[in-house]
Amino acid sequence: MDTTQAIKALQRALPKAHFAQRGSSDYEKLNHLYQSGLCSDITPAYIIQPTSTDEVSTFVKTIKPFALNGKAPFAVVGGGQQPAPGCSNIQDGITLSLQRLKGIRVKEGVVEVAAGESWGPVYDELGKVGKGFSGGRSYRSGIGGLALAGGLSFVSSREGFISDNVLNFQVVLASGAIVDANADENPDLWVALRGGGNNLGIVTRFDFRTFEQGRVYGGSIYYPGDSFPGQLEALVRELQKPDASKETHLMLSIGYSRLFGPQMMCLNQVYCTKGIDKSPVLQPFTDIESQMSQMNSLRMHSLAEAAREQAGDRPAASRYDIPRLKSHRPVAEADPGARSVYMNTTVRADVATLKAATEIYSAAIEPLKSCKEVLLSMTLQPYPATLLQKSAASGGNVLGLEPGLGSLVSILFLTFWEDREDDEKIMSNLKDALDKIDRDATKRGTLVPFKYLNYAATFQDPIGSYGLENIAKLRNASQKYDPDGLFQKGVPGGWKVLS
């Protein structure tokens, strides 16, 4: 494709925006801010950075005819944490980077956050006034990908998905119009954006609900793999309690790093958001024999400090190189060019299903341990019943996870490695393992169709997993707010509602 005419038109229309041409030093820097080197392998002709919502609007109006006729398709990137190639970058086209859209404004009951911000500064601003919000768990990660896909926060058991806590989206539509989407204005668009990804427009500001929030208790515990089956039992036991706490956040991982030798190692990241020191509800996940005491980070701290730890800001752990096993660290910040892939599935909270998944995964990664600088993790993250109940009561989304499903568990394969030559081997082995887990869960009657968009691999279909009713909502919103199909045809990356 030849984007020359589109670039000339954009340069005339956007004299104050930053244009980075392929081959320039600033282009190379911008194109390597992605979490995964698989995304940085993609090289657009230009990366354009607007500085305001009005400039985003002008960009859309100007590029629209070029994008629709195939001469200048484009992609949109915020923080660049979605590792699926093509979601937020485009070969030989134009990538619109929102990273210069800045601004955090705290109001009564709400915080307005520009799309170029990251989660950490928002936690910091709210912490100054004793407030919290349902934000991402990594201090440095971007806003948009998570808030448009569902998203888990430290307080999700109590507050629902991150997208459920967006009271208003400021959106640039395919026409270039700048609109608000909330419970009163464009409510169908508001609901569709809560899980709709990049299908409906470019969100330039997110307005999140805030609440009183004190310190939290929690952190990380590392332990050998032979204790993991008992932790699975503890997890399911907690999730199936009729009076399960809304104040817990639990993540259990099992994985491999060469720095620990050939054995499987495990990581629990657990929090009590009510701020009870040494919370009894967490004891089944913290009082583990044979844990690595020097790696234990349990303590009272703020949400901002918890997010920093999730981002890898923990000197005691970093000497072991283990924070990269955590599911939310922006690895590319520490390892430019590191390659990564996510893939996921969802099951009911069932011990036998989770134990079978662990056995399947452990066998599948054996031949991958020889790959250079490989780090492998299977991370279990609950969608507890309290989360789904709160989600249903928060105005609606398109994820298709109804409270009647009961407590669920997300199974995430999280993998980092160095050499491009290992791409096919790693992704093929892990895909086969995930397929086996799905087949096993299907036989047990515990498989749930939902695939979380932000953890999806390119071979998965998260939009299709939302169910027919929600797919219809997305298609209706797309046809209403984007009748020409700009974000279906002109923005080809990601998962399309009309494909």
Side-chain angles (χ1 to χ4, degrees), residues 163-380:
S163 59
D164 295 326
N165 285 266
V166 182
L167 299 178
N168 179 69
F169 298 92
Q170 182 185 74
V171 194
V172 177
L173 300 178
S175 65
I178 301 168
V179 303
D180 287 324
N182 52 57
D184 299 314
E185 301 173 82
N186 305 304
D188 52 346
L189 179 60
W190 179 55
V191 171
L193 286 168
R194 292 170 150 194
N198 67 355
N199 278 284
L200 301 162
I202 301 174
V203 178
T204 55
R205 195 189 76 224
F206 300 82
D207 300 348
F208 294 96
R209 184 175 62 85
T210 62
F211 41 79
E212 299 291 329
Q213 180 66 54
R215 293 167 71 77
V216 303
Y217 174 77
S220 302
I221 305 99
Y222 295 81
Y223 57 97
D226 54 8
S227 294
F228 199 64
Q231 289 297 289
L232 298 179
E233 293 169 5
L235 177 65
V236 172
R237 197 159 50 240
E238 174 63 26
L239 292 174
Q240 290 181 346
K241 287 180 180 177
D243 59 346
S245 173
K246 298 179 182 180
E247 301 290 348
T248 59
H249 181 65
L250 308 172
M251 287 187 286
L252 277 60
S253 300
I254 184 167
Y256 166 80
S257 166
R258 65 177 176 81
L259 296 176
F260 284 118
Q263 75 274 20
M264 299 288 275
M265 287 298 296
C266 301
L267 166 63
N268 287 358
Q269 295 159 287
V270 296
Y271 299 88
C272 173
T273 54
K274 198 172 183 179
I276 300 173
D277 193 17
K278 297 181 175 59
S279 171
V281 73
L282 298 182
Q283 285 181 356
F285 309 101
T286 59
D287 294 351
I288 305 169
E289 293 184 11
S290 302
Q291 64 178 272
M292 299 180 66
S293 58
Q294 71 272 32
M295 302 283 285
N296 186 315
S297 69
L298 294 170
R299 67 203 187 281
M300 294 290 295
H301 54 315
S302 67
L303 286 178
E305 290 170 314
R308 284 186 184 277
E309 181 176 326
Q310 290 284 318
D313 291 350
R314 182 164 172 255
S318 62
R319 61 194 173 95
Y320 289 93
D321 207 25
I322 272 301
R324 291 191 294 177
L325 285 177
K326 298 179 182 180
S327 55
H328 309 288
R329 185 184 184 214
V331 174
E333 293 179 0
D335 304 277
R339 310 180 78 73
S340 71
V341 66
Y342 291 1
M343 56 188 74
N344 77 104
T345 193
T346 308
V347 298
R348 297 182 188 274
D350 175 72
V351 172
T353 301
L354 297 178
K355 286 185 175 180
T358 302
E359 292 171 2
I360 292 168
Y361 177 75
S362 299
I365 69 171
E366 278 299 319
L368 305 181
K369 292 180 179 179
S370 61
C371 296
K372 188 175 181 181
E373 296 301 322
V374 71
L375 290 157
L376 299 137
S377 176
M378 182 180 81
T379 296
L380 306 179

Side-chain angles (χ1 to χ4, degrees), residues 47-87:
I47 300 172
I48 300 176
Q49 292 184 300
T51 59
S52 69
T53 297
D54 285 340
E55 287 188 344
V56 174
S57 171
T58 299
F59 171 89
V60 170
K61 291 175 183 176
T62 305
I63 201 172
K64 184 174 182 177
F66 299 100
L68 287 175
N69 68 16
K71 292 183 178 179
F74 67 99
V76 182
V77 62
Q81 270 71 52
Q82 163 62 275
C87 285

Side-chain angles (χ1 to χ4, degrees), residues 26-157:
D26 54 345
Y27 173 99
E28 293 303 317
K29 181 179 179 181
L30 290 171
N31 207 45
H32 283 84
L33 289 177
Y34 291 92
Q35 172 168 303
S36 175
L38 297 172
C39 298
S40 298
D41 287 348
I42 298 169
T43 55
Y46 271 82
I47 300 172
I48 300 176
Q49 292 184 300
T51 59
S52 69
T53 297
D54 285 340
E55 287 188 344
V56 174
S57 171
T58 299
F59 171 89
V60 170
K61 291 175 183 176
T62 305
I63 201 172
K64 184 174 182 177
F66 299 100
L68 287 175
N69 68 16
K71 292 183 178 179
F74 67 99
V76 182
V77 62
Q81 270 71 52
Q82 163 62 275
C87 285
S88 54
N89 209 359
I90 185 166
Q91 186 62 42
D92 298 325
I94 296 170
T95 293
L96 181 73
S97 168
L98 304 181
Q99 291 181 350
R100 295 194 179 196
L101 300 186
K102 299 294 187 182
I104 301 168
R105 188 176 181 184
V106 179
K107 296 182 176 181
E108 183 64 33
V110 66
V111 59
E112 298 177 350
V113 184
E117 292 286 352
S118 55
W119 296 109
V122 188
Y123 282 121
D124 289 337
E125 287 300 308
L126 290 173
K128 294 175 184 177
V129 292
K131 300 287 187 179
F133 80 129
S134 186
R137 294 166 294 179
S138 178
Y139 191 90
R140 301 188 190 96
S141 292
I143 306 291
L146 205 56
L148 293 170
L152 290 173
S153 74
F154 293 111
V155 295
S156 280
S157 295

